[in-house]
Amino acid sequence: MLEAPQRAEKIVFPVQKLGIRNLTLALKPTSKHISIQRQLAELEKLAGLSEGEFTLAVSLKTDLHKPCPLCPEEKFKACYGHKLHRHLQNLHWKISVEFEGYRMCICHLPCRLVKPNLVGDQTFSKMGAHYHCIICSATIARRTDMIGHINRHVNKGETESRFITAPAPKSSYQVLKESDTDVQVLPNYSTPQKTDSYFNPKMKLNRQLIFCALAVLAEERKPIECLDAFGATGIMGLQWAKHLRNSVKVTINDCNENSVTMIQENCHLNKMKVKLNTKEENNDEALGGGEQNTDTIEVTKMDANVIMHMRSFDFIHLDPFGTSVNYLDSAFRNVRNLGIVSLTSTDISSLYAKAQHVALRHYGCNIVRTEYYRELAARIVIAAVARAAARCNKGIEVLLAVALEHFVLVVVRVLRGPSPADDSAKKVRYLIHCQWCEERIFQKEGNMVEENPYQQLPCDCHGSMPGKTAVVLGPLWSGALFNTGFLRRMLFEAVQYGLDETQPLLKTLVCEAECTTLKNFSTHGPYDENKQEECGVYIKTPDTSAESCVLHGKRKNNEVVRNTAKRHKSDNSAEHPAFYYNIHRHSIKGMNMPKLNKFLNYLSEAGYRVSRTHFDPMGVRTNAPLAQFKTILVKYSTPTYTGGQAEGPLHLTEDPSPVPGSLKRWW
C-alpha cells in the first residue's frame, strides 16, 4: 500500500527551505498526484480496497482496517472497508472537480500549508483541504476557486497537463453518427471547458447550411480547395469529403494536438486517407483498412491565422469558440476571387446586446436591446466582415445571414478589386432607432452634419415627447442579407442530399429574401425557369469545367469567371426591406389581434410587400411604415371584452385614421 502521508512530508520540507509556496514551481512532476483519478474504483484500489474485501467485512464483520490515502491519520483513522468506501465516495469523490475525464478529488494531506498559528512560544502549521490542479499542479483551497482556475487555463489555451497521463481507454469513447458520418468523441464532448474535441449536436442545422453552400460552390467549379479552420472532431470536413468526394479537396486544421489525433482517428473510422501536415513535419499517412475511399483529407496542426496566410482557398469556414473577428483579416488575405467565406459566431451575449461593452470592444459597435436584436446581430457581424474584406481590397456579396438561438451564421462571396471594396464599405452605415415607438431608419449618406437627425425618422416622437427619444446604433451593414438565387440552389442541394431538417428553414429564407408569403412560394423562381438546366447542363458542361479552363488557357478561365459573376448579379432581385416588426410588441391592450397569416394578407392587400422572418416567429418583414402597420393592426383587431370596457377599442377599430402619436399610449 502506498504510504501517501509520509511521501508528502518528504517533499514539503525542501520547498519550505527554498521559500516556494507551490511545489510545482520548483519541481516538474512526471506523474500525477494521487488525488487525480479517472474512476472511483481507481481511488479504492489505491486504498487497497476491492469489492470482495469490504463485502466480506460487512458480512463476517472481520477487522479489515484500511487508512484513507487522501487523509492523514489524525483526520481519518483506519476503519472497516465498507466505511472507508463510503468515506471515499461521499467526501473525496462527490465534491471533486472534473476535467477531460479526470476527477480532481479534495485532498487533506499536508501538501499545502496555510496560516501558521502562534501558541505561546511555539508555531503550529495548520493543514487545510485543497485540490491539485491537473494542468499546473497548483493547490487551490476552494472548489469554486478550482473551477475558475481551470477555466482560466482553458481561456488561455492551456489544456495540456504537465504530468504524463495515460491515454483514455477506448471504452470511454462514444461514437456518434450525423449525416452518414461517424465520429468518436470523449465523454464530455458537449462541454468545451472539459474537452479539446468539442462536438455540439445542436449545431447540426448550422453544419447542414454550410454543407449546402459548399455544394453550390462545388457545382460552379471543380475541384475546389476548402478549409475547416477549427476542426475539433473533424465532423464538418468529413461530411464535405464523404458526400462531395472528388469535387472538393478538404483541409481540416486545429492547433490542439489532441484534436488533431482525434481527427485522424475519425478519418480512420470513416475509411478515408489522411495526409498529415504540421509545422514540424510533412508526411503522408494512409489510415484505414479494408475498402477505402479514394478521397484524401489533409489534416494540419497550425494556428488558423497562419494557415490562411500561407495558402489560398476557395472556401473557408471559421467556427471558433466565441467571436471570429480575430481571424477575418487572415481569411480575406488569400481567398480566391468569387470564393466563399462562412463564419459562425457563438458570442451571442455580446451580439444580442446582453454585454454591450463586449460588442463595443470586439466589433466597435454601439447597440441596445431592440425587438429586432437578432437581425441587428447579423448586421453587426456582416459589417465587421465588410471592413476586413475592404482592408484587403476585396468586396463582399452577402449570400446568407442566419441568427438563431445560439449562433449567428454569415456566408459571403468574395469580389476582388477596389471598386467592389468601395461599394461594400459604403453599405456600412449608422442606424437611428426611436426608443419610444421602435421605428428605425439608416442614416443618410453624406459628410454633412445635420442639426436635427430626428427629422430622418418617420415618426413624430421627438416633437410630442420631451427629451431624447432616439439613439444612434452601429456601424451596421445596410445592404441585403440574402441572395435569392443562391438560396434556391441551396434548397435544391438540400433536397438532393436528403437534408430534411434544413429544407423548412431554406424555404423560409427564400420567402424572406423575395419578401413573399410561403403560400406564394414555388420551387421555380425567376432565376431558373429550367432548374435542370441551371443545376445540370450549365454547370457541368465541358466548356465550364476546371479541366476545360486549363486546356483552353487563361482566356477561357476569364470568361467562366465573368459569366459566373453576371449570373450571380442577375440572381439579386429587389432588396427585401430592412428589419421587421414583432406583432406582439405593437398589440393593443384589450384587443385581440388577427392571426399572423391573416394579418400578412391584410398588409399585402393594402399594397405593401410582406413576409415572415426566421429571426422571429412572430415577426413581420414589410416595407410599410410603422404608422400604417399599427393602423392596419388596429383596424382588424377585435375587442376582448364586451360592454362599457370595449367602447374605447371599438372607437379605434371603426376609425383607424388618428395620428400615430395619439395612439402611442395603447402600445
Side-chain angles (χ1 to χ4, degrees):
M1 182 182 65
L2 179 64
E3 297 180 358
Q6 291 80 358
R7 180 182 173 185
E9 290 175 1
K10 290 180 181 179
I11 59 175
V12 167
F13 292 114
V15 176
Q16 291 175 343
K17 293 179 181 179
L18 293 174
I20 300 174
R21 182 177 180 182
N22 287 333
L23 175 64
T24 57
L25 298 179
L27 302 175
K28 293 184 178 180
T30 57
S31 60
K32 65 182 185 298
H33 192 265
I34 58 175
S35 63
I36 303 174
Q37 301 293 338
R38 282 189 179 272
Q39 298 176 356
L40 178 60
E42 297 179 1
L43 193 60
E44 294 174 348
K45 185 178 179 181
L46 191 65
L49 278 178
S50 64
E51 185 178 357
E53 284 187 355
F54 64 77
T55 304
L56 184 64
V58 173
S59 59
L60 301 179
K61 296 184 179 181
T62 56
D63 192 13
L64 294 175
H65 285 203
K66 301 286 186 180
C68 175
L70 299 180
C71 296
E73 187 68 21
E74 59 271 15
K75 172 73 177 178
F76 183 84
K77 296 183 179 181
C79 63
Y80 292 111
H82 65 282
K83 291 185 178 180
L84 178 59
H85 171 75
R86 288 201 307 267
H87 169 79
L88 293 175
Q89 185 177 21
N90 297 332
L91 176 64
H92 297 286
W93 190 258
K94 189 175 182 179
I95 59 174
S96 60
V97 178
E98 188 177 0
F99 180 75
E100 293 189 358
Y102 283 91
R103 292 289 191 99
M104 292 170 278
C105 303
I106 191 166
C107 176
H108 293 273
L109 298 177
C111 310
R112 172 189 173 93
L113 296 179
V114 294
K115 297 179 180 179
N117 297 327
L118 183 63
V119 180
D121 296 334
Q122 296 182 351
T123 302
F124 295 93
S125 295
K126 181 182 178 182
M127 303 300 174
H130 56 275
Y131 295 87
H132 290 266
C133 178
I134 190 174
I135 297 175
C136 66
S137 300
T139 54
I140 308 297
R142 296 184 179 180
R143 186 175 185 272
T144 55
D145 295 342
M146 188 69 216
I147 296 175
H149 178 80
I150 291 292
N151 290 336
R152 283 192 292 272
H153 277 303
V154 174
N155 294 336
K156 294 178 182 179
E158 301 172 356
T159 56
E160 296 183 1
S161 303
R162 293 185 181 178
F163 55 79
I164 301 174
T165 59
K170 292 291 182 180
S171 59
S172 65
Y173 289 157
Q174 293 179 254
V175 178
L176 305 178
K177 191 167 187 176
E178 180 182 297
S179 301
D180 297 330
T181 305
D182 297 326
V183 288
Q184 61 179 8
V185 294
L186 293 172
N188 299 315
Y189 61 89
S190 60
T191 307
Q193 289 85 2
K194 295 183 179 181
T195 180
D196 295 330
S197 56
Y198 176 57
F199 178 80
N200 189 358
K202 296 181 180 179
M203 299 293 282
K204 180 179 180 180
L205 181 62
N206 175 275
R207 286 187 283 270
Q208 291 185 353
L209 288 172
I210 296 166
F211 173 80
C212 292
L214 178 61
V216 173
L217 183 63
E219 292 292 339
E220 297 176 2
R221 44 181 166 173
K222 299 178 182 179
I224 59 174
E225 297 184 34
C226 49
L227 170 68
D228 182 10
F230 300 88
T233 59
I235 175 66
M236 191 174 297
L238 288 169
Q239 291 176 356
W240 298 349
K242 196 162 188 176
H243 295 289
L244 300 178
R245 295 186 175 273
N246 296 330
S247 301
V248 295
K249 295 181 180 179
V250 180
T251 301
I252 306 178
N253 175 74
D254 204 290
C255 62
N256 188 280
E257 187 174 355
N258 296 333
S259 296
V260 172
T261 304
M262 183 71 70
I263 293 170
Q264 296 178 47
E265 293 177 357
N266 287 331
C267 291
H268 170 80
L269 190 63
N270 290 274
K271 299 180 181 179
M272 290 189 178
K273 295 181 181 179
V274 175
K275 179 182 177 183
L276 185 61
N277 185 3
T278 62
K279 287 183 178 180
E280 298 83 5
E281 56 182 2
N282 294 324
N283 58 347
D284 295 347
E285 291 186 2
L287 297 180
E291 296 181 0
Q292 292 183 348
N293 294 333
T294 57
D295 312 309
T296 300
I297 296 180
E298 183 178 0
V299 181
T300 60
K301 178 181 173 294
M302 305 185 192
D303 185 86
N305 285 321
V306 173
I307 188 172
M308 289 187 292
H309 271 289
M310 291 172 56
R311 296 172 52 184
S312 299
F313 294 96
D314 299 286
F315 185 92
I316 296 176
H317 177 63
L318 304 175
D319 187 8
F321 184 69
T323 180
S324 304
V325 292
N326 298 330
Y327 307 96
L328 293 179
D329 290 328
S330 303
F332 285 100
R333 177 182 175 87
N334 287 327
V335 63
R336 295 191 177 100
N337 190 27
L338 295 181
I340 290 180
V341 174
S342 66
L343 56 102
T344 301
S345 298
T346 54
D347 55 332
I348 57 174
S349 61
S350 60
L351 291 174
Y352 289 173
K354 296 179 181 178
Q356 301 174 4
H357 61 287
V358 181
L360 182 63
R361 183 170 70 245
H362 286 169
Y363 300 94
C365 186
N366 177 42
I367 56 174
V368 296
R369 184 79 170 190
T370 62
E371 66 172 325
Y372 50 94
Y373 66 93
R374 288 185 179 173
E375 183 170 343
L376 202 66
R379 293 184 180 275
I380 290 171
V381 177
I382 299 174
V385 171
R387 291 196 298 267
R391 287 192 291 269
C392 299
N393 282 337
K394 295 181 179 72
I396 64 169
E397 176 192 3
V398 181
L399 305 176
L400 172 68
V402 175
L404 296 179
E405 183 180 357
H406 47 275
F407 70 90
V408 176
L409 171 65
V410 171
V411 181
V412 299
R413 188 182 292 276
V414 180
L415 308 174
R416 280 193 173 181
S419 297
D422 294 339
D423 295 339
S424 300
K426 289 178 182 177
K427 294 182 181 180
V428 179
R429 294 156 61 184
Y430 286 90
L431 181 76
I432 303 177
H433 169 80
C434 179
Q435 293 184 298
W436 181 256
C437 68
E438 297 277 351
E439 186 61 281
R440 74 297 301 240
I441 190 171
F442 282 106
Q443 234 176 10
K444 296 178 181 178
E445 296 183 11
N447 299 326
M448 300 299 293
V449 179
E450 286 193 58
E451 290 186 20
N452 186 11
Y454 293 101
Q455 294 178 354
Q456 298 185 23
L457 284 169
C459 65
D460 62 342
C461 296
H462 181 66
S464 58
M465 304 292 171
K468 184 178 180 181
T469 60
V471 292
V472 178
L473 309 180
L476 306 171
W477 174 258
S478 62
L481 295 181
F482 311 101
N483 183 300
T484 307
F486 192 85
L487 287 173
R488 286 186 175 274
R489 289 194 291 276
M490 286 181 62
L491 179 58
F492 176 76
E493 298 295 340
V495 174
Q496 192 175 31
Y497 288 98
L499 306 179
D500 298 332
E501 299 179 7
T502 316
Q503 295 175 27
L505 176 59
L506 287 173
K507 290 179 182 179
T508 304
L509 294 177
V510 172
C511 294
E512 188 174 358
E514 296 178 348
C515 204
T516 183
T517 56
L518 192 61
K519 182 177 66 173
N520 300 326
F521 173 79
S522 63
T523 56
H524 299 279
Y527 86 101
D528 59 347
E529 296 180 358
N530 189 344
K531 180 172 289 189
Q532 295 297 330
E533 180 181 357
E534 171 81 16
C535 297
V537 178
Y538 174 82
I539 296 174
K540 295 184 178 180
T541 178
D543 291 339
T544 57
S545 63
E547 294 82 358
S548 176
C549 295
V550 175
L551 293 175
H552 292 79
K554 187 176 180 181
R555 179 179 178 182
K556 193 67 180 179
N557 192 18
N558 292 337
E559 290 180 4
V560 174
V561 172
R562 188 160 52 249
N563 292 337
T564 306
K566 288 181 180 179
R567 186 159 55 90
H568 288 302
K569 187 175 182 181
S570 65
D571 287 345
N572 283 322
S573 57
E575 287 191 3
H576 48 272
F579 300 111
Y580 55 89
Y581 301 104
N582 186 297
I583 190 172
H584 284 297
R585 291 288 290 267
H586 302 284
S587 61
I588 307 171
K589 187 177 181 180
M591 303 286 286
N592 284 333
M593 300 181 303
K595 297 294 183 180
L596 182 58
N597 291 333
K598 290 184 178 180
F599 181 69
L600 296 179
N601 294 333
Y602 297 148
L603 281 174
S604 181
E605 291 172 0
Y608 297 108
R609 300 175 62 198
V610 62
S611 72
R612 301 186 70 168
T613 175
H614 81 280
F615 291 113
D616 189 347
M618 297 304 296
V620 178
R621 186 180 296 279
T622 178
N623 60 344
L626 183 59
Q628 295 298 324
F629 182 91
K630 292 180 178 180
T631 300
I632 296 176
L633 185 62
V634 170
K635 180 179 179 180
Y636 292 99
S637 297
T638 56
T640 304
Y641 306 103
T642 57
Q645 294 181 356
E647 294 180 359
L650 279 174
H651 175 71
L652 291 175
T653 305
E654 294 173 358
D655 184 14
S657 59
V659 180
S662 63
L663 299 178
K664 295 185 189 301
R665 291 299 179 185
W666 292 102
W667 281 274

